[in-house]
Amino acid sequence: MKTTNTLLKPVMVIALALALPLHSQPLFATEISVIPAPSAQAGQSVEVAFILDTTGSMADLIDGAKKKIWSIANTIIDTNPDATIRMALIAYRDRGDEYVLKTYPLSTDVQSLYAKLIKLEADGGGDQPESVNEALDKGIRSLQWDQGANVRRIVFLVGDAPPHMDYRNAPKYPQVLKQANQKNIIVNAVQAGDDGTTRTVWKDIARLGQGRYIQIPQDGGQIQHVETPYDDEILRYQAQLDNTVLPYGSRQIRDAVASKMATKSMGSKESQVENSRYYSKKSGKKEVVTGGGDLISDVAEGQVKISEIKSEDLPAVLQNKTAEEQKQIVDEYADTRKQLEGKITSLVKSRDAYIEKQRASAPAKVDSFDTAVKASLREQLK
């Protein structure tokens, strides 16, 4: 279908992160009982919160996590493409540092979470104990966990130092984890490094949280990435797909969409391909940019009608156009998007098959942050 000259005006370019395997060798230093997980069901919600030590010693691990957040989201999609996914991030340090806690709530807007994560820098710390208890308490008690029956709630505590047990009138992890049990929240404890005191506490947290204790290298382990012959073509079509985004609404909303698109475009090649994979494999609402604000997606989902939007809140390409012209332009954008989606989906399938073949011949090591988290999710969501 021929499109008008207005159709593919660049709005900004995007994309983001991974997919690694579950090794046959034991992953966890200690096997711990896990809450029996029901089989993935249509309509299931999956909520995952990362409680992350951001003191100076965690710099390398945090850099790796920035590259792998989309990989982790893809693991959930592989388990259940129909799931509604909400993710949260709590960064913690200690009293006397620049901050004690930074909280980014559970949200389906994974791109916003990614933008927050890549801005995190490791700093502070220096003494051994950190504000682990306060961070766990914030994650368990304050995040707005879905109370529905068909919800999997999973926390990953990631750090390399034990909690302060000497702070007066502060929460303590045994009491916090009782609350986690009552809310059916699984708490996994990922230890970076091999500090003995941390190991003892992290194992206790995993036991009380009915999750898993996982030990990984201090730097987060070797980050693995398999390049494929399909990556460049996926990114070429993704760039065209990104140009079908039409931000609308208030200036604040449009600026937020533009910011997420810009952040997405600055990601590594790996992260951009993984973001394309997330988009193509997720069933339900298709969002080139998560969190709303894209007219093409919202019109397709019946969430808005062009006639109901104030003229000043419309994308520039639709302003000063008749209703018929507006509909024609939106239909052209939607048709182009559908064609590109088909091409990307086909390429992603070929890419998945290529990577699976590579995995079979050279299984990945399972001692890195991303492989450990992904293996736990596969186990706890299946």
Side-chain angles (χ1 to χ4, degrees):
M1 179 176 183
K2 188 175 180 180
T3 60
T4 65
N5 291 334
T6 59
L7 177 52
L8 292 180
K9 277 190 174 181
V11 177
M12 277 202 172
V13 197
I14 324 182
L16 311 128
L18 145 94
L20 288 170
L22 175 60
H23 196 278
S24 59
Q25 297 300 315
L27 169 63
F28 306 107
T30 303
E31 286 297 325
I32 298 169
S33 61
V34 180
I35 296 176
S39 299
Q41 305 172 40
Q44 185 183 61
S45 292
V46 177
E47 299 185 330
V48 179
F50 294 94
I51 301 177
L52 181 61
D53 179 351
T54 56
T55 55
S57 58
M58 298 289 288
D60 290 338
L61 188 148
I62 291 171
D63 285 343
K66 293 174 182 179
K67 299 175 183 177
K68 299 304 180 182
I69 190 68
W70 285 100
S71 164
I72 292 164
N74 276 331
T75 300
I76 302 172
I77 292 296
D78 288 339
T79 305
N80 185 355
D82 297 323
T84 297
I85 300 172
R86 296 207 303 156
M87 300 178 76
L89 172 66
I90 295 175
Y92 71 90
R93 290 182 182 173
D94 197 13
R95 297 180 186 182
D97 290 332
E98 179 186 357
Y99 60 84
V100 176
L101 302 176
K102 282 187 177 181
T103 303
Y104 306 103
L106 287 159
S107 173
T108 57
D109 189 356
V110 185
Q111 284 170 348
S112 282
L113 183 72
Y114 173 79
K116 302 294 191 303
L117 178 61
I118 65 172
K119 292 178 182 177
L120 284 181
E121 299 293 339
D123 197 9
D127 57 343
Q128 248 287 9
E130 311 291 357
S131 291
V132 178
N133 286 324
E134 291 84 347
L136 272 175
D137 185 65
K138 175 67 73 172
I140 301 305
R141 299 179 193 266
S142 298
L143 291 180
Q144 298 300 306
W145 298 93
D146 189 327
Q147 299 303 306
N150 195 20
V151 183
R152 301 300 298 164
R153 308 170 190 87
I154 301 174
V155 167
F156 289 94
L157 169 67
V158 188
D160 66 353
H164 272 284
M165 302 301 286
D166 55 336
Y167 286 158
R168 296 183 60 184
N169 301 318
K172 301 294 188 293
Y173 73 83
Q175 289 70 42
V176 173
L177 293 170
K178 287 181 181 178
Q179 290 286 318
N181 292 336
Q182 293 171 10
K183 294 182 177 182
N184 291 318
I185 301 171
I186 297 172
V187 179
N188 300 289
V190 183
Q191 180 188 357
D194 58 2
D195 177 74
T197 303
T198 304
R199 183 186 305 112
T200 299
V201 177
W202 252 231
K203 285 185 175 182
D204 198 34
I205 288 172
R207 178 181 63 82
L208 295 173
Q210 300 188 58
R212 294 198 173 208
Y213 166 74
I214 309 162
Q215 186 175 11
I216 59 176
Q218 179 66 50
D219 63 1
Q222 182 179 358
I223 298 298
Q224 300 182 8
H225 170 57
V226 179
E227 289 198 13
T228 82
Y230 308 98
D231 294 354
D232 289 339
E233 196 169 8
I234 288 173
L235 293 184
R236 180 164 63 85
Y237 285 129
Q238 181 66 51
Q240 297 176 35
L241 185 68
D242 295 345
N243 287 337
T244 67
V245 171
L246 288 182
Y248 77 102
S250 67
R251 171 57 61 184
Q252 182 180 10
I253 292 174
R254 282 179 284 164
D255 287 348
V257 171
S259 177
K260 282 187 283 188
M261 298 287 278
T263 300
K264 189 178 172 189
S265 70
M266 292 187 296
S268 65
K269 181 177 179 179
E270 173 192 3
S271 69
Q272 293 184 45
V273 171
E274 283 301 319
N275 185 231
S276 296
R277 185 175 185 272
Y278 179 85
Y279 175 80
S280 69
K281 301 200 77 167
K282 191 178 188 301
S283 64
K285 183 177 181 181
K286 294 286 190 182
E287 294 181 295
V288 179
V289 54
T290 62
D294 170 31
L295 185 66
I296 303 304
S297 176
D298 289 351
V299 167
E301 294 293 323
Q303 295 183 354
V304 70
K305 295 181 179 178
I306 300 174
S307 60
E308 297 173 346
I309 304 173
K310 293 186 294 185
S311 177
E312 61 266 28
D313 289 342
L314 285 170
V317 72
L318 298 183
Q319 293 183 9
N320 303 315
K321 298 289 194 301
T322 65
E324 183 178 349
E325 289 172 332
Q326 289 174 341
K327 182 179 184 304
Q328 180 182 1
I329 293 171
V330 169
D331 286 348
E332 288 175 344
Y333 271 73
D335 183 66
T336 299
R337 182 175 291 190
K338 184 175 181 180
Q339 293 178 43
L340 291 167
E341 286 173 355
K343 292 176 180 179
I344 292 173
T345 297
S346 177
L347 287 166
V348 165
K349 288 180 180 178
S350 297
R351 180 179 181 271
D352 284 354
Y354 181 92
I355 289 177
E356 191 58 39
K357 185 176 180 180
Q358 297 296 312
R359 290 173 179 167
S361 61
K365 293 182 179 180
V366 293
D367 63 348
S368 65
F369 168 75
D370 57 305
T371 51
V373 170
K374 290 170 62 160
S376 298
L377 284 171
R378 290 189 184 102
E379 173 65 28
Q380 292 166 356
L381 294 176
K382 72 181 181 181

